[in-house]
Amino acid sequence: MNVLKVPGRTIAVFILPCLLIYVGLVFVPILVSFYSSLLDWNGIGASKFIGFDNYVQMFTADPVFWPAVKRTLMFAVFSMVEIPVALFVAILLNRYIRKPNFLVSSYFLPVILSVVIVGQLWKTIYNPASLGGMLNQVLMAVGLESWTKAWLTDPSVAMYALYIVALWQYLGYHVLIQFTGIQNIPSEVYEAAKIDGAEGFTADRYITLPMVVPIFKISIVLAFIGSLQAFDMIMVMTGGGPAHATDVIATLMYNMSFLSMKYGYGSALASFLVVLCLIATVIINFLFKKLEARYT
């Protein structure tokens, strides 16, 4: 095979600008945020270097922090529910629908909607029946009055109400990813399996599932890491309330940095979130490494 030999300097000329931009946009803000986390600073006035005091306070004295970490992790775990569902829907679309593009686009529609629109839409659905809340009205119509709740203002159910919205909005995103992965499997593989007597769900078990493992991993990484950074939808629907019942790390970081004017402490929360995302990515890649090696 002929290999085009390109001098290292030429490669550097093309790569270096992009590398510098990437470092400037990704790593420099992380380093600046970490440095800010070592300061007692309100973001405007003079700052004072206090070392790791913000982290000590965060881990030992903040009563809101650990519950927010727990909700963040739960949000990420709940986001995993839609991945196998999306795969199942993608398999059905690929097998039974002759021209599935319209249905795939329909599933994808909530993804392209603004988070503000989605949040306002679901706030209307979750409203009390007296304010026209559709969910409570449906429950009353079918004789389940005892199930009606103030979904977004009851601390015991508010976070679960947000989980449902996130699952609804991003299901289509993962259906599209899984569907694309399934369609890239050569049809000859299925035809050969059919000759050997494997079709339907048997073919899916021994062909589809092993061959979509890399796509499955991408979906899980995107869903898990995206959920760890959940912010906009929660801010639109509850703002972290009631009484911090829906606060996650990102909303707590925003409230501390810009409402409580504790920019240094908010930066400590941001640094913790970055580390959490890195750890999650490493763990997911480690778990899938053996699985990918087995089927590739």
Side-chain angles (χ1 to χ4, degrees):
M1 184 175 66
N2 294 324
V3 178
L4 181 63
K5 294 184 178 179
V6 180
R9 289 183 181 178
T10 305
I11 296 175
V13 167
F14 284 98
I15 292 179
L16 195 58
C18 295
L19 183 63
L20 290 175
I21 292 173
Y22 181 78
V23 170
L25 293 178
V26 176
F27 289 101
V28 171
I30 292 175
L31 293 176
V32 171
S33 180
F34 177 72
Y35 176 72
S36 299
S37 72
L38 306 177
L39 305 175
D40 179 12
W41 188 31
N42 62 10
I44 300 174
S47 61
K48 178 184 176 184
F49 186 81
I50 57 173
F52 291 96
D53 285 2
N54 282 325
Y55 291 95
V56 173
Q57 181 187 352
M58 186 173 72
F59 290 128
T60 62
D62 188 345
V64 182
F65 173 68
W66 287 114
V69 173
K70 179 183 175 183
R71 287 186 213 100
T72 304
L73 294 175
M74 287 296 295
F75 206 105
V77 170
F78 266 86
S79 71
M80 298 294 98
V81 174
E82 63 189 343
I83 308 300
V85 175
L87 178 60
F88 183 68
V89 172
I91 290 174
L92 294 181
L93 289 173
N94 185 63
R95 180 183 301 161
Y96 296 111
I97 306 299
R98 180 167 297 179
K99 295 181 179 180
N101 291 341
F102 174 75
L103 281 178
V104 174
S105 302
S106 301
Y107 281 112
F108 195 73
L109 184 62
V111 181
I112 63 175
L113 292 177
S114 163
V115 175
V116 176
I117 294 174
V118 171
Q120 293 297 335
L121 171 67
W122 278 88
K123 279 177 74 175
T124 305
I125 293 173
Y126 283 142
N127 270 340
S130 58
L131 296 177
M134 189 177 73
L135 178 57
N136 284 329
Q137 287 188 341
V138 169
L139 292 173
M140 292 170 66
V142 297
L144 297 173
E145 290 89 350
S146 61
W147 289 25
T148 57
K149 293 181 180 296
W151 298 99
L152 295 178
T153 55
D154 183 343
S156 64
V157 297
M159 202 65 212
Y160 296 100
L162 296 178
Y163 294 149
I164 298 298
V165 179
L167 292 176
W168 173 82
Q169 186 177 15
Y170 293 106
L171 176 65
Y173 182 68
H174 297 287
V175 168
L176 178 65
I177 293 175
Q178 305 293 339
F179 180 75
T180 305
I182 292 172
Q183 288 221 313
N184 282 331
I185 299 174
S187 59
E188 292 82 3
V189 178
Y190 289 106
E191 291 169 4
K194 189 175 182 180
I195 294 173
D196 292 335
E199 52 185 331
F201 283 105
T202 304
D204 289 326
R205 179 183 175 186
Y206 292 103
I207 298 174
T208 307
L209 295 182
M211 297 191 76
V212 298
V213 166
I215 304 298
F216 203 75
K217 187 186 83 172
I218 291 172
S219 267
I220 286 182
V221 170
L222 291 174
F224 200 90
I225 302 302
S227 299
L228 289 180
Q229 303 170 52
F231 171 75
D232 41 12
M233 184 190 70
I234 297 173
M235 288 303 294
V236 169
M237 295 186 67
T238 65
H244 299 291
T246 59
D247 248 338
V248 293
I249 297 176
T251 57
L252 185 60
M253 174 190 67
Y254 173 83
N255 290 331
M256 284 293 175
S257 299
F258 302 108
L259 299 184
S260 300
M261 300 300 287
K262 296 179 178 178
Y263 192 81
Y265 190 77
S267 298
L269 288 164
S271 300
F272 175 81
L273 186 58
V274 170
V275 172
L276 192 61
C277 290
L278 289 175
I279 292 174
T281 304
V282 170
I283 292 175
I284 292 173
N285 277 302
F286 176 78
L287 293 177
F288 271 87
K289 190 175 181 180
K290 291 184 178 178
L291 199 60
E292 287 181 310
R294 180 178 176 181
Y295 292 113
T296 55

